[in-house]
Amino acid sequence: MSRSQRDAEAFVVTCEDCAVETRTDDPNETVAFYRRHRSATGHDVVWEGADAAALDGLDVPADADLAAVVRALDGAYEGGVPLGVVAAAMGERGATMAETFEAVHDLRMTGGLYEPRDDHLRPF
Amino acid sequence: MTRWNDGVDEVSTVSPDITEETNALPNRYFTDPEVHEMEKEKVFGEYWVYAGHANCIPEEGDFFTRTVGDRQIIVLRDHDGEVTAFYNVCAHRGSKMVDDTPMSDPGHMSRIRCPYHLWTYDLDGDLASTPKSFEEPGLNPDLEGGDVRPPDPERNGLLTVPTATIGPLVFVNFSDDPMPFEEQAGKMKEELEALPLGEYEHAQRIVSEVECNWKTFGGNYSECDHCQANHQDWIKGISLDESELEVQDYHWVLHYTHDEDVDDEMRIHEEHEAQFYYLWPNFTVNMYGTADGYGTYIIDPIDEGRFQLVADYYFRDADLTGEEREFIRTSRQLQEEDFELVERQYEGQKMGALAQAQLGPNEHTVHKLHRLAQEAYNA
């Protein structure tokens, strides 16, 4: 996929410091991008847009917390909600990628979430 | 004659003679995932690669991490004020110790401590302490206390990675038997060390992901035949006809002559030209000629079809002036223009139609890049 072909891609995240972005169909590719970018710069990334279809199962208030968001999305995904979808949903609630992952870590460490496979989440 | 994948699939190794028709690296070396895996060892595991800039870790205990292929190192300033590098791997059971810490956002520690079992190392890599449980086997009924030797500080220390420098630029080598750094750096070391690189501070890092093989971009960086058609803003004030492309054993230099009216104070060096150094395999030093500063690129592969361009900018002061910000914006524009070109080229390379490209006689710097890749693969 070249730069000229990217306009239709569904998930878009941006580093505001570097003014670079990634557009992708795969929500978890935004997670991989974040990790690589964070590793090289220490920068956070923010959401520019997310595929509405991927978030269709989300019927929670705009100020819902992470646990409520994952619970709302859980039924729509067999084998766990892709971490990128969770991040996108939290992005729509104003959270950056770093903030979301910090919340994910906290919730996992306190038993609120688990990872049935890499980069997919399910609630307890 | 261009070699197509027309059923014949005829390719050859890169000819040392640029006038031969087999003067380019066969296309599969740009697109094959197995080649990417091979390069981790044969390229990035053998040659000196850039680790980062010493000015970013000025104080004892300052550190950053750098990942090259599957390996990650800690680059730190030790008690003696020297920059040293260790694998980010605990000598106990192999845990990664410190979190990813980019050069542009360095960390500080008085000792290196593994969070798993708290093995702790001095800044010289020697094991400084372990919890008592490693010396007092109270939970093991088969051992008497006297049977246990305490860990040896040196033999249970961290694994050092050799370092070398060009001024403040720090390089590392993962090979068991590294070639002398001076051999790889050649006269680039002497030339750059004649400049006051260490007086400049890191001011900005911009990291982009580009969808092509790292060598595809390396080839683009190494020639300017594409500039007339694609970098209209940049070539203003550059006399492309007077440019010189210099090829050395493991590096090449692109000298772009500026118009005489370039302000003398706008350059780190005395020449009226921009000087772009490419050091095999994936590092460049950019002397722009129109800014009192310099830049570096790291062309880091992600996989066979993607790389990260890590662009760092250095100026007299880390706080950028308006002019310097504008300069970086222009540099960024140049990168974006090149990203379009190399991603377009890579789309073509992935189609499988071309088996082996044809380099032009003025693409001798690109030829050098391809030859060094071939040499590394065959070693």
Side-chain angles (χ1 to χ4, degrees), chain B residues 250-313:
Chain B
Y250 292 96
H251 77 270
W252 41 101
V253 192
L254 288 73
H255 303 262
Y256 298 128
T257 304
H258 278 288
D259 290 345
E260 287 301 312
D261 59 359
V262 172
D263 189 338
D264 275 343
E265 293 179 359
M266 295 294 282
R267 284 174 277 112
I268 191 172
H269 54 72
E270 293 179 356
E271 310 303 324
H272 275 273
E273 60 179 25
Q275 297 173 345
F276 292 165
Y277 287 79
Y278 191 115
L279 178 66
W280 166 261
N282 67 332
F283 180 61
T284 82
V285 181
N286 313 316
M287 303 288 179
Y288 299 102
T290 52
D292 185 20
Y294 64 97
T296 62
Y297 285 168
I298 313 171
I299 308 166
D300 262 346
I302 297 170
D303 52 32
E304 75 285 355
R306 292 180 299 173
F307 74 93
Q308 274 188 326
L309 185 72
V310 181
D312 287 309
Y313 297 90

Side-chain angles (χ1 to χ4, degrees), chain A:
Chain A
M1 177 182 63
S2 71
R3 274 156 203 271
S4 55
Q5 290 176 308
R6 286 181 191 165
D7 289 345
E9 303 305 336
F11 295 91
V12 186
V13 290
T14 300
C15 168
E16 292 175 330
D17 293 300
C18 290
V20 295
E21 68 175 25
T22 192
R23 294 168 176 266
T24 177
D25 273 334
D26 177 357
N28 273 1
E29 178 54 32
T30 62
V31 177
F33 170 79
Y34 163 79
R35 287 177 178 146
R36 291 190 295 265
H37 199 78
R38 181 98 174 172
S39 171
T41 63
H43 297 161
D44 200 353
V45 302
V46 296
W47 284 89
E48 290 293 320
D51 180 10
L55 303 178
D56 272 352
L58 200 57
D59 185 21
V60 294
D63 60 352
D65 65 7
L66 176 70
V69 166
V70 177
R71 275 198 302 272
L73 287 165
D74 186 46
Y77 294 91
E78 206 170 311
V81 187
L83 185 53
V85 171
V86 174
M90 293 304 289
E92 291 201 339
R93 284 152 181 77
T96 65
M97 202 75 108
E99 288 165 350
T100 296
F101 290 158
E102 192 176 333
V104 166
H105 181 263
D106 288 348
L107 207 48
R108 284 188 67 193
M109 291 297 121
T110 51
L113 291 175
Y114 72 105
E115 194 175 30
R117 55 190 169 118
D118 276 357
D119 291 338
H120 291 73
L121 297 174
R122 291 212 64 199
F124 269 112

